Amino acid sequence: QVQLVESGGGLVQAGGSLRLSCAASGSIFSINVMAWYRQAPGNERELVADMFSGSSATYADSVKGRFTISRDNAKNTVYLQMNSLRPEDTAVYYCNARVRPARGSGYGDYWGQGTQVTVSS
């Protein structure tokens, strides 16, 4: 089994910064993509940023220039540095990883439990 554990959410004023972390553990042979999604009340879950192994990152238009995703492959960890936060960034942020648990197995999608980010105006 694979577990994703997030940390770093909280309450911040508009214009402030937060850094989210997500560590994957358990049965992991390789990780293809690691990503951050968010879901605000009444909205669908949306992709914020993703990063494939050894590749560049992609971002939602709404966060480009403000958020930065990075990975530490040795630690199976993904980060999301969020700067210039806005009230509309308020949401539950979820970590996602596409993991191959063992050599020869297929990839599975795994999710963290979510961490709340609240930006006050």
Side-chain angles (χ1 to χ4, degrees), residues 33-34 50-59 69 71:
V33 58
M34 300 190 82
D50 65 17
M51 179 175 276
F52 285 77
S53 178
S55 181
S56 60
T58 60
Y59 296 93
I69 189 172
R71 285 176 63 168

Side-chain angles (χ1 to χ4, degrees), residues 8-110:
L11 173 64
V12 65
Q13 288 189 332
S17 298
L18 284 174
R19 187 187 192 219
L20 306 182
S21 300
C22 171
S25 63
S27 179
I28 298 172
F29 177 75
S30 64
I31 300 178
N32 182 8
V33 58
M34 300 190 82
W36 289 96
Y37 287 74
R38 67 185 181 187
Q39 187 168 18
N43 290 356
E44 293 185 354
R45 190 172 296 188
E46 64 174 356
L47 176 67
V48 176
D50 65 17
M51 179 175 276
F52 285 77
S53 178
S55 181
S56 60
T58 60
Y59 296 93
D61 287 343
S62 58
V63 306
K64 282 181 181 177
R66 301 188 297 122
F67 291 9
T68 302
I69 189 172
S70 60
R71 285 176 63 168
D72 184 334
N73 292 326
K75 296 181 178 179
N76 291 328
T77 298
V78 63
Y79 306 95
L80 186 68
Q81 178 66 43
M82 304 185 294
N83 299 328
S84 302
L85 282 161
R86 305 167 180 169
E88 54 264 39
D89 294 318
T90 295
V92 178
Y93 284 70
Y94 296 91
C95 174
N96 168 264
R98 190 165 300 158
V99 179
R100 177 175 286 174
R103 184 188 296 272
S105 70
Y107 281 99
D109 265 325
Y110 297 88

Side-chain angles (χ1 to χ4, degrees), residues 3-14:
Q3 298 83 36
L4 301 180
V5 178
E6 300 137 340
S7 60
L11 173 64
V12 65
Q13 288 189 332

